[in-house]
Amino acid sequence: MPRFQSDNDARRLGEALAALRRDRALSQAEAGRRAGMTSQGWGLYETGKRSGLYRPDVQRRLTAALDATPEDLLFHQGPAAPGMASEGRAFVHAPKIPTRAAPRRLQLSNDDLAPWAASGVVVEYEPGRWPRRDQGCVIEMADGEVRVRIYEGADAGALTVRGGSGGLTAHERIARSDTRVVSAVTARLEL
């Protein structure tokens, strides 16, 4: 693990954590609660005033509270200059930073999510955008099946969702290993 030399490095890593939290639409209080700390404790990490953020075990704990990975934190930290990396006087292209895919649409064929969304409703979703609690989500399973559910939460091993054949009151745990992509529903369109 590289040793960080300046307050700028700490601030930059903290800003990346804050950006990752905001992408998940979470408050500092909610993120702190998920990580087992106060909002003030979480805020110290985001401002770069708590040095433990450099430790891999702390990064795993904090990013897991955001349903993310330490690699996601690195992605949000980004390169020093977007699109370039410096090697002395020469510049080389940095690896491409992945961008979010364009929104997709899917028409519901059953009433499993009624009254939230009934058969015939078209949901628009963004692949790569993680849902927040009580938000619709589209889950692309490893076997090719596509499920539309209401996101409840996740831990290291499984997602917890509502919906399916048991309706909105039925909770379902889906092993992360059985999923390929989880995407947030961003719109419901009644065409």
Side-chain angles (χ1 to χ4, degrees):
M1 188 85 189
R3 182 159 173 78
F4 292 84
Q5 301 295 324
S6 72
D7 288 340
N8 286 337
D9 292 332
R11 229 180 345 270
R12 199 164 145 214
L13 192 55
E15 288 169 0
L17 181 65
L20 189 58
R21 175 186 55 79
R22 284 190 299 272
D23 277 0
R24 302 303 196 260
L26 295 173
S27 66
Q28 285 183 341
E30 176 63 17
R33 185 190 62 73
R34 289 178 172 198
M37 66 179 68
T38 65
S39 60
Q40 292 85 0
W42 187 276
L44 289 173
Y45 283 116
E46 286 189 1
T47 58
K49 295 180 181 174
R50 190 174 268 180
S51 62
L53 187 54
Y54 304 128
R55 294 182 16 207
D57 61 316
V58 172
Q59 286 182 9
R60 281 190 300 272
R61 178 176 159 221
L62 297 178
T63 56
L66 302 175
D67 295 322
T69 65
E71 290 77 22
D72 295 325
L73 182 63
L74 182 63
F75 167 75
H76 275 79
Q77 190 174 0
M84 307 185 184
S86 173
E87 288 189 356
R89 293 178 182 249
F91 286 92
V92 295
H93 291 288
K96 276 201 149 200
I97 297 174
T99 57
R100 287 196 172 138
R104 295 185 190 164
R105 291 183 176 183
L106 177 70
Q107 186 169 18
L108 299 182
S109 60
N110 59 47
D111 289 328
D112 290 350
L113 297 175
W116 183 80
S119 180
V121 169
V122 174
V123 293
E124 188 171 273
Y125 63 99
E126 274 188 48
R129 181 175 180 178
W130 195 261
R132 59 184 185 267
R133 185 178 174 92
D134 294 325
Q135 182 177 15
C137 65
V138 175
I139 306 166
E140 297 176 36
M141 305 297 289
D143 64 4
E145 179 188 4
V146 177
R147 299 180 187 178
V148 181
R149 301 289 190 267
I150 304 295
Y151 178 78
E152 283 290 311
D155 57 33
L159 305 172
T160 302
V161 294
R162 289 184 288 130
S165 59
L168 287 179
T169 58
H171 286 77
E172 176 183 9
R173 283 185 56 82
I174 302 172
R176 284 187 183 245
S177 59
D178 292 341
T179 65
R180 196 167 49 90
V181 179
V182 179
S183 308
V185 170
T186 56
R188 289 178 297 203
L189 310 170
E190 297 191 34
L191 303 175

